[in-house]
């Protein structure tokens, strides 16, 4: 174990470069950790400080945690989140639950690596709007950040170091202890109540057909699909088409990760459905007609009481232990 003490302002601070003990359920695959960004106790701790640091925005008003709040499953409770200077983005905030397992990021798959992901919100005009060189210069006046970047990455606190440390921290957002997990992986047949069990059977069954798309440990097959939200995308977010420029991708979005879904209202890429009732009504009514809508949506058959059972099942995906974990609580004073 390599650890050393560095001086942070008045008090000594220990930087522990030993491997971060990431605990995953034994049935779950390992997560991909790039060789040039080993996950250490020190890199995770550095990422955590950054996650809550408002200096990552141009006017030091907005941190990552502004739009990714633990009580909302690390999403936000508004349809569109507010960035610097009251600017509205164009998508509903993403939940960070199990983000380490995603093969690509954002609902259109526009970002390929978690290690560079954070540069997107930092630079985005409507989110944090901070130039990366300004960021480096700003943090080059912070002795603690200088020391941490030096010890962990042997660099200045620049875009490389900052985005890698944030990625290390994001990889700790593992949620695997919801009632659903206890039922499926923990072998606890009492973890779901009767409504939730009925909802479970419906979700994975052939009438509601949810698991055609929502499958695997995060209840998503990570494909891009049009689930019939709009008939016409003129003037609207075209989803995957923005990335590929292919008209066949119009209105297609990554099948949503449903972990902690009961906490992340409102729903869909633009937050246009306020609650789970309206999501189930959307599927029960087969959504709008669109040439690219996946035909499975038209085959979904659910009664009103089955909708309630499905909602009960979705509530069983809430992992209270995860959202209340001290790993995700700010432990350092707010930095300006
Ligand atoms: C102003 C609000 C806002 C701020 C600030 C913000 N985010 Fe986000 N974040 C979003 C929105 C909205 C999305 C969904 C974007 C999309 O799907 O295209 C998102 C998506 C993500 C995702 C991808 C999730 C997925 O499912 O693909 C990650 C990771 C993420 N943010 C991390 C961060 C980090 C780290 C920071 C700080 C450096 C940050 N965010 C700052 C609003 C914000
Ligand atoms: C054809 C594939 C498909 C099927 C079948 C399907 N979904 Fe979805 N689902 C999606 C896609 C794609 C999204 C994301 C849409 C968006 O972001 O606008 C989504 C989004 C959702 C959301 C909102 C997630 C969020 O974070 O906003 C919920 C809840 C949901 N689906 C539940 C269900 C349930 C319950 C069923 C079964 C009745 C079902 N889905 C069937 C593809 C599907």
């Amino acid at each position: 174990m390599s650890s050393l003490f560095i001086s942070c302002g008045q008090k000594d601070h220990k930087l522990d470069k030993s491997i971060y003990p990431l605990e995953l359920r034994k049935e779950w695959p390992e997560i991909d950790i790039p060789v040039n960004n080993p996950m250490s106790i020190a890199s995770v701790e550095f990422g955590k400080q950054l996650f809550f640091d408002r200096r990552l925005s141009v006017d030091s008003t907005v941190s990552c945690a502004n739009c990714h709040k633990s009580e909302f499953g690390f999403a936000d409770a508004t349809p569109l989140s507010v960035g610097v200077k009251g600017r509205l983005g164009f998508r509903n905030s993403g939940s960070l639950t199990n983000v380490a397992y995603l093969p690509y990021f954002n609902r259109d798959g526009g970002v390929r690596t978690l290690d560079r992901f954070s540069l997107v919100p930092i630079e985005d005009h409507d989110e944090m709007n901070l130039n990366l060189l300004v960021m480096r210069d700003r943090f080059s006046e912070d002795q603690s950040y200088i020391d941490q970047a030096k010890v962990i990455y042997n660099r200045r606190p620049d875009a490389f170091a900052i985005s890698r440390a944030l990625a290390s921290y994001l990889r700790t957002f593992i949620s695997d202890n919801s009632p659903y997990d206890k039922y499926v992986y923990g072998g606890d047949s009492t973890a779901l109540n009767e409504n939730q069990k009925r909802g479970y059977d419906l979700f994975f069954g052939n009438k509601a057909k949810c698991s055609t798309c929502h499958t695997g440990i995060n209840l998503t097959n990570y494909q891009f699909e049009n689930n019939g939200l709009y008939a016409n995308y003129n003037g609207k977010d075209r989803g995957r088409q923005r990335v590929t420029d292919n008209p066949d991708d119009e209105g297609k979005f990554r099948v949503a990760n449903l972990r902690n879904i009961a906490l992340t209202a409102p729903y869909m890429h633009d937050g246009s459905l306020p609650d789970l009732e309206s999501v189930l009504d959307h599927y029960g009514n087969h959504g709008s007609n669109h040439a690219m809508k996946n035909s499975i949506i038209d085959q979904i058959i659910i009664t009103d009481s089955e909708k309630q059972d499905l909602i009960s099942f979705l509530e069983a995906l809430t992992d209270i232990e995860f959202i209340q974990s001290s790993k995700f609580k700010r432990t350092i004073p707010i930095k300006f």
Side-chain angles (χ1 to χ4, degrees):
M1 181 169 114
S2 59
S3 61
L4 55 141
F5 287 86
I6 58 164
S7 172
C8 285
Q10 297 302 306
K11 72 177 193 322
D12 279 342
H13 188 77
K14 191 175 169 211
L15 275 185
D16 185 347
K17 284 185 74 184
S18 57
I19 295 296
Y20 181 88
L22 193 64
E23 283 168 22
L24 303 171
R25 279 192 179 269
K26 62 179 186 322
E27 299 85 352
W28 287 21
E30 290 294 312
I31 63 170
D32 206 11
I33 300 172
V35 278
N36 72 354
N37 190 19
M39 229 175 130
S40 63
I41 290 176
S43 70
V44 168
E45 174 55 32
F46 189 20
K48 181 176 182 180
Q49 293 165 33
L50 290 162
F51 192 80
F52 291 101
D53 194 335
R54 298 189 206 151
R55 291 175 303 174
L56 277 176
S57 61
V58 65
D59 53 4
S60 296
T61 55
V62 175
S63 72
C64 309
N66 273 47
C67 302
H68 298 286
K69 302 189 178 89
S70 57
E71 63 269 38
F72 306 127
F74 298 96
D76 199 355
T78 55
L80 305 175
S81 315
V82 182
V84 289
K85 304 187 172 131
R87 291 177 195 150
L88 274 189
F90 73 108
R91 290 216 176 119
N92 181 243
S93 170
S95 162
L96 302 180
T97 305
N98 292 350
V99 73
Y101 278 103
L102 304 187
Y104 30 66
F105 306 92
N106 282 347
R107 290 180 172 77
D108 54 16
V111 183
R112 309 293 306 186
T113 71
L114 193 55
D115 275 40
R116 300 231 308 273
F117 182 91
S118 297
L119 305 179
V120 178
I122 294 170
E123 284 191 296
D124 188 293
H125 175 264
D126 298 329
E127 295 188 333
M128 304 170 112
N129 197 207
L130 182 64
N131 176 288
L132 296 177
L133 296 177
V134 174
M135 176 188 78
R136 186 196 62 194
D137 291 345
R138 200 177 267 186
F139 289 155
S140 293
E141 289 169 12
D142 181 318
Q143 195 55 47
S144 163
Y145 280 11
I146 294 170
D147 293 342
Q148 293 183 79
K150 175 83 183 147
V151 170
I152 303 166
Y153 299 106
N154 198 23
R155 310 174 65 101
R156 293 171 66 185
D158 59 6
F160 181 101
I162 299 304
S163 64
R164 297 244 169 0
L166 277 162
S168 266
Y169 181 52
L170 293 174
R171 292 194 171 96
T172 68
F173 284 63
I174 299 290
S175 166
D176 64 0
N177 214 12
S178 64
Y180 167 77
D181 294 300
K182 291 177 183 153
Y183 184 75
V184 173
Y185 303 105
D188 178 357
S189 61
T190 63
L192 299 189
N193 65 31
E194 290 311 311
N195 297 355
Q196 292 167 337
K197 281 183 188 160
R198 281 199 301 275
Y200 175 100
D201 290 339
L202 282 161
F203 190 90
F204 291 100
N206 209 22
K207 273 183 76 209
K209 295 188 186 296
C210 310
S211 66
T212 323
C213 299
H214 295 284
T215 182
I217 58 173
N218 285 326
L219 291 309
T220 162
N221 58 9
Y222 305 116
Q223 301 300 305
F224 298 99
E225 297 291 353
N226 180 319
N227 68 345
L229 201 56
Y230 297 113
N232 183 323
Y233 285 83
N234 289 342
K236 287 200 162 65
D237 181 355
R238 293 170 197 268
R240 185 65 179 159
Q241 191 186 359
R242 296 180 76 237
V243 176
T244 62
D245 217 15
N246 179 351
D248 289 352
D249 287 335
E250 187 174 87
K252 290 190 182 170
F253 292 86
R254 189 184 61 204
V255 173
N257 169 356
L258 297 184
R259 288 198 166 265
N260 294 306
I261 191 71
L263 304 174
T264 67
Y267 299 106
M268 304 301 166
H269 63 275
D270 54 359
S272 56
L273 301 184
D275 46 34
L276 288 174
E277 279 76 11
S278 42
V279 172
L280 269 302
D281 286 343
H282 161 81
Y283 284 116
N285 298 331
H286 314 304
S288 305
N289 283 325
H290 185 280
M292 291 305 144
K293 177 167 71 167
N294 186 309
S295 58
I296 296 285
I297 303 292
D298 288 331
Q299 299 162 25
I300 293 173
I301 305 165
I302 35 178
T303 64
D304 284 346
S305 75
E306 289 171 337
K307 289 178 190 170
Q308 288 310 316
D309 290 336
L310 280 162
I311 292 173
S312 301
F313 169 69
L314 293 173
E315 286 167 354
L317 294 164
T318 302
D319 181 353
I320 296 293
E321 205 175 284
F322 167 71
I323 62 158
Q324 292 184 344
S325 164
S326 59
K327 281 191 291 201
F328 308 122
K329 300 268 178 298
R330 188 188 355 239
T331 46
I332 51 152
I334 304 169
K335 291 179 173 242
F336 285 99

